[in-house]
Amino acid sequence: MKVRHIVLGLLSISVIAPIFLYTDRVGSFVNPSSSRRDFLDDVSALTVSGDTRHLNVLHQETSTALKEPIGVVYSDHSTVTREHKSTRVLSATDEELQQQQLSNPIRQVIDRAPPGLTTTLDSHPNASDISAIELDQQPTQPSGKIVQEHSDNKHDRLTEPADAQVRHLKDQLIRAKVYLSLPAIKNNPHVTRELRLRVKEVTRALGDATKDSDLPKNAVDKLKAMDQSLEKGKQIQDDCAAVVKKLRAMLHSSEEQLRVHKKQTMFLTQLTAKTLPKGLHCLPLRLTTEYYTLNSSQQNFPNQQKLEDPRLYHYALFSDNILAAAVVVNSTISHAKHPSDHVFHIVTDRLNYAAMRMWFLSNPPGKATIQVQNIEEFTWLNSSYSPVLKQLGSPSMIDYYFRAHRASSDSNLKFRNPKYLSILNHLRFYLPEIFPKLNKVLFLDDDIVVQKDLTGLWSLDLKGNVNGAVETCGESFHRFDRYLNFSNPLISKNFDPHACGWAYGMNIFDLSEWRRQNITEVYHRWQRLNRDRQLWKLGTLPPGLITFWKRTYSLDKSWHVLGLGYNPNVNQREIDRAAVIHYNGNLKPWLEIGIPKYKIYWAKYVDYETVYLRECNINP
């Protein structure tokens, strides 16, 4: 009996237990909520041809070697959708892919499993551990539609800088020069010759290109060839310290060359700004000759009775540049609502007086009134009355400008501009004496262009101030401490170094208030104190800041936009909405060094078909 029980026990172990284990294993397939970890452990132990294989996730690469994209099967209710993938497919042929699948036991199990099981495995959180080929899965789309993904490479090309290849080529040249200077490369004649050849090729391909579209078609080939040569050089030299030392030396040399070039550029720019172009030298000579062929009655301007009428709009323009003065007048009249109400008072020097008159006699500004005066006719303006006139003729000032030995003089070249020697530049401080019967006058520089009607300036209430001007303290260098010497107690006790500066070039002056406050005498007093140039250097803006201190009314910035003579990045929106644009700086629009994109605003008010301009070869 006991033996019988033992036999039945063994029978149950050998027959019933395998059936139970088998049914439990099947349950793990059927029940989707059961753990997949046991399944993975068992599958990983499967053998093919007697060898145990371990799971290895294959490296993913983008490739177009496969003839067709790999499909991924999704279960969307009762519909099966095949979606094509364009990224991260294996770089392999069809045969290699089949061999990999044969050698991968997991792929075999998945391929033989029912469709429902395949979907379950692919959607499992650890599917990346199971699948030998990892694919990016996108949300399932309706049947019949294809999801097309844009490759990252295309996106990179769209966002790539326009000068990426140009910069790469320049970097290659630097690296090649560094390698050629290293002993390890010098001792290898073959690599040295190759690098020198590549340098010549890349330099020729690069040329003057600033963006990739300027490069020749073979630039990419030259770039790749240079990369190969540089890789050879990299394998030969292994002294990083020598490379760093050479790069530092090259950087120091480049910085020193840049400093020298900047100094030379500044000198040449100043020289060009002071030099009169041939055409502008020819023009006054030609006009002067023509003027003296006229009889006395032909030399007079019409409507001279309007010159002292305070009800009209009066402009003051002091210039020896005929073409520049013509642009100011033409642009102002072009935008005036009632040109007959505008009167222009032009004061020039003796050399340009006849030429200036001849220009406006032959090119009258429509119905506007013109007056041209010679500064020599202002007999009241003499050295006994004007301190600045006395200073301009002093031996120290002549020595400052004309002596060759200037060791003790100021090194800043802009202070040596001869315009500071011209009394025309200082005539703006004598407006009440020049126009004794006028109440208001609009002062204009000769390097401005008017873009809107300016009559609204005469109706502005300056609130007891003498000067109406646009402030220029948007940047720190436009404040008082930029122009005045605050180390001097006379300046530091009377003025605020952080006070906002303002611009000359378009200023509305209340002459009645000027006379009442005796502003001219304020100017004279400070000029006498600055006889040795210790309070400020030269120019008219520093004494203007002092003279009109707390007497200046701030105008809206849209009346006057500055910087077109030195700043290539003036806001285009501000230029378009400005009533007056100002070419302050050395890059005047009538010079070749003028900023090209700003010249058009000035040139459109010049009639280049005028006979005098053609004869003097003045072209746009």
Side-chain angles (χ1 to χ4, degrees):
M1 188 69 176
K2 186 174 181 180
V3 173
R4 180 180 175 185
H5 285 295
I6 293 172
V7 171
L8 289 175
L10 292 175
L11 181 63
S12 64
I13 293 172
S14 60
V15 177
I16 300 173
I19 296 174
F20 175 80
L21 291 176
Y22 174 78
T23 55
D24 181 69
R25 178 65 65 199
V26 171
S28 68
F29 282 97
V30 175
N31 186 4
S33 62
S34 62
S35 171
R36 299 295 184 268
R37 180 55 55 190
D38 296 336
F39 170 76
L40 295 177
D41 293 339
D42 289 339
V43 171
S44 62
L46 288 176
T47 58
V48 178
S49 302
D51 295 331
T52 301
R53 305 288 183 179
H54 297 286
L55 290 179
N56 293 308
V57 179
L58 299 179
H59 296 291
Q60 310 299 314
E61 300 182 342
T62 302
S63 175
T64 55
L66 294 177
K67 294 183 180 180
E68 294 182 0
I70 297 176
V72 180
V73 180
Y74 294 88
S75 176
D76 184 9
H77 301 291
S78 60
T79 305
V80 177
T81 304
R82 178 172 299 273
E83 303 212 359
H84 295 280
K85 298 297 175 180
S86 61
T87 58
R88 290 197 286 176
V89 295
L90 289 177
S91 177
T93 61
D94 290 340
E95 293 180 0
E96 292 171 341
L97 184 61
Q98 291 174 2
Q99 292 176 0
Q100 292 172 1
Q101 290 177 341
L102 289 175
S103 62
N104 193 329
I106 297 178
R107 191 75 266 168
Q108 295 176 14
V109 173
I110 293 176
D111 289 341
R112 295 173 184 174
L117 177 59
T118 305
T119 304
T120 303
L121 291 175
D122 285 343
S123 62
H124 193 275
N126 295 321
S128 59
D129 296 331
I130 300 172
S131 176
I133 301 175
E134 180 179 292
L135 298 173
D136 291 336
Q137 298 186 19
Q138 301 293 334
T140 305
Q141 302 293 327
S143 178
K145 291 186 177 181
I146 298 177
V147 178
Q148 184 174 1
E149 297 181 352
H150 296 283
S151 68
D152 293 337
N153 290 337
K154 182 177 180 181
H155 176 72
D156 292 341
R157 288 195 298 270
L158 292 175
T159 58
E160 192 176 65
D163 61 342
Q165 289 185 3
V166 171
R167 289 190 290 178
H168 192 173
L169 290 169
K170 290 180 179 179
D171 290 344
Q172 285 182 331
L173 288 176
I174 294 174
R175 287 182 60 194
K177 291 176 182 178
V178 170
Y179 284 169
L180 287 171
S181 67
L182 299 176
I185 302 297
K186 289 180 179 179
N187 294 333
N188 192 317
H190 175 73
V191 175
T192 300
R193 284 195 301 270
E194 183 176 341
L195 280 175
R196 287 176 177 170
L197 176 63
R198 298 291 180 244
V199 168
K200 290 180 180 179
E201 292 176 348
V202 170
T203 303
R204 192 180 301 113
L206 190 59
D208 298 326
T210 57
K211 52 185 184 295
D212 294 350
S213 59
D214 298 334
L215 295 172
K217 295 181 179 179
N218 64 346
V220 176
D221 297 333
K222 304 301 181 185
L223 187 149
K224 292 179 179 178
M226 175 63 96
D227 274 338
Q228 294 175 357
S229 300
L230 290 174
E231 188 61 30
K232 294 179 182 177
K234 182 179 177 181
Q235 294 174 358
I236 294 174
Q237 70 82 25
D238 57 355
D239 190 354
C240 293
V243 175
V244 172
K245 184 177 180 181
K246 181 62 180 178
L247 286 172
R248 284 178 176 171
M250 291 173 66
L251 178 62
H252 177 75
S253 176
S254 299
E255 289 176 345
E256 183 64 21
Q257 290 179 16
L258 179 62
R259 186 187 65 80
V260 172
H261 288 317
K262 280 184 175 180
K263 190 173 181 179
Q264 291 177 345
T265 301
M266 184 179 69
F267 173 78
L268 293 174
T269 302
Q270 294 285 345
L271 182 63
T272 305
K274 300 173 188 177
T275 305
L276 191 67
K278 285 184 178 180
L280 295 182
H281 180 71
C282 163
L283 183 61
L285 296 177
R286 180 71 181 85
L287 289 168
T288 300
T289 303
E290 193 74 18
Y291 178 76
Y292 287 112
T293 63
L294 302 177
N295 58 48
S296 57
S297 61
Q298 293 175 318
Q299 293 177 350
N300 296 323
F301 291 101
N303 304 321
Q304 296 299 286
Q305 72 279 2
K306 295 182 177 181
L307 297 180
E308 296 181 345
D309 188 347
R311 298 170 299 177
L312 302 178
Y313 306 112
H314 294 266
Y315 301 85
L317 177 60
F318 310 139
S319 175
D320 58 0
N321 188 324
I322 297 165
L323 203 56
V327 169
V328 174
V329 174
N330 291 344
S331 62
T332 304
I333 294 302
S334 297
H335 299 92
K337 295 178 181 179
H338 305 287
S340 60
D341 293 338
H342 295 258
V343 182
F344 293 88
H345 303 269
I346 301 174
V347 181
T348 188
D349 56 18
R350 180 175 55 186
L351 292 175
N352 294 281
Y353 174 69
M356 191 75 76
R357 291 183 67 89
M358 186 63 207
W359 175 269
F360 287 105
L361 286 170
S362 59
N363 300 278
K367 297 179 180 180
T369 301
I370 289 288
Q371 180 189 30
V372 178
Q373 294 176 279
N374 181 0
I375 195 173
E376 303 288 340
E377 298 173 358
F378 300 154
T379 56
W380 50 267
L381 187 60
N382 50 61
S383 58
S384 61
Y385 174 66
S386 172
V388 69
L389 195 61
K390 183 178 180 179
Q391 292 168 9
L392 291 176
S394 66
S396 62
M397 191 69 70
I398 294 172
D399 178 74
Y400 182 80
Y401 276 97
F402 299 110
R403 291 292 176 88
H405 180 66
R406 294 172 177 166
S408 61
S409 62
D410 197 287
S411 60
N412 195 331
L413 293 174
K414 77 175 185 177
F415 293 125
R416 297 209 186 101
N417 196 320
K419 72 178 182 179
Y420 298 129
L421 286 175
S422 173
I423 191 59
L424 283 174
N425 202 43
H426 298 267
L427 205 58
R428 63 194 69 187
F429 293 102
Y430 298 99
L431 292 173
E433 289 81 358
I434 300 172
F435 309 110
K437 295 185 178 180
L438 299 182
N439 299 323
K440 279 189 176 181
V441 66
L442 183 64
F443 170 78
L444 297 176
D445 266 342
D446 63 359
D447 55 352
I448 63 105
V449 171
V450 178
Q451 300 188 127
K452 294 182 181 179
D453 182 62
L454 301 179
T455 55
L457 290 168
W458 275 266
S459 61
L460 286 176
D461 181 8
L462 300 183
K463 302 186 184 303
N465 292 290
V466 179
N467 174 28
V470 169
E471 292 184 339
T472 58
C473 55
E475 300 177 58
S476 59
F477 63 84
H478 285 144
R479 298 186 182 274
F480 269 46
D481 59 353
R482 172 67 178 177
Y483 304 101
L484 304 177
N485 179 18
F486 277 87
S487 64
N488 191 296
L490 281 173
I491 296 296
S492 60
K493 286 191 298 185
N494 289 280
F495 306 101
D496 179 7
H498 303 293
C500 187
W502 45 266
Y504 265 130
M506 190 218 69
N507 307 77
I508 184 72
F509 287 106
D510 187 334
L511 301 185
S512 300
E513 196 65 31
W514 185 314
R515 297 184 189 98
R516 191 185 69 80
Q517 299 184 30
N518 198 11
I519 297 299
T520 303
E521 182 54 34
V522 174
Y523 166 69
H524 283 172
R525 179 165 60 86
W526 282 102
Q527 279 288 357
R528 284 191 288 267
L529 291 171
N530 192 47
R531 60 183 176 272
D532 55 358
R533 301 192 306 278
Q534 293 301 310
L535 305 184
W536 67 87
K537 293 300 180 182
L538 296 174
T540 55
L541 182 55
L545 296 176
I546 289 177
T547 301
F548 298 105
W549 166 249
K550 295 184 178 180
R551 300 180 179 94
T552 299
Y553 176 79
S554 178
L555 301 178
D556 186 271
K557 292 184 180 296
S558 62
W559 280 110
H560 187 190
V561 170
L562 299 100
L564 279 73
Y566 70 88
N567 182 10
N569 299 312
V570 179
N571 189 290
Q572 185 62 45
R573 201 171 177 182
E574 293 181 359
I575 294 175
D576 295 338
R577 64 193 291 261
V580 169
I581 54 176
H582 195 170
Y583 294 83
N584 57 311
N586 288 322
L587 310 181
K588 303 299 184 187
W590 54 83
L591 299 176
E592 290 187 5
I593 60 173
I595 301 174
K597 65 179 180 179
Y598 299 149
K599 284 186 176 184
I600 56 174
Y601 301 108
W602 187 86
K604 66 182 178 180
Y605 296 105
V606 180
D607 184 6
Y608 290 100
E609 296 302 317
T610 303
V611 60
Y612 302 114
L613 300 187
R614 292 204 311 269
E615 290 176 351
C616 291
N617 197 29
I618 298 177
N619 302 304

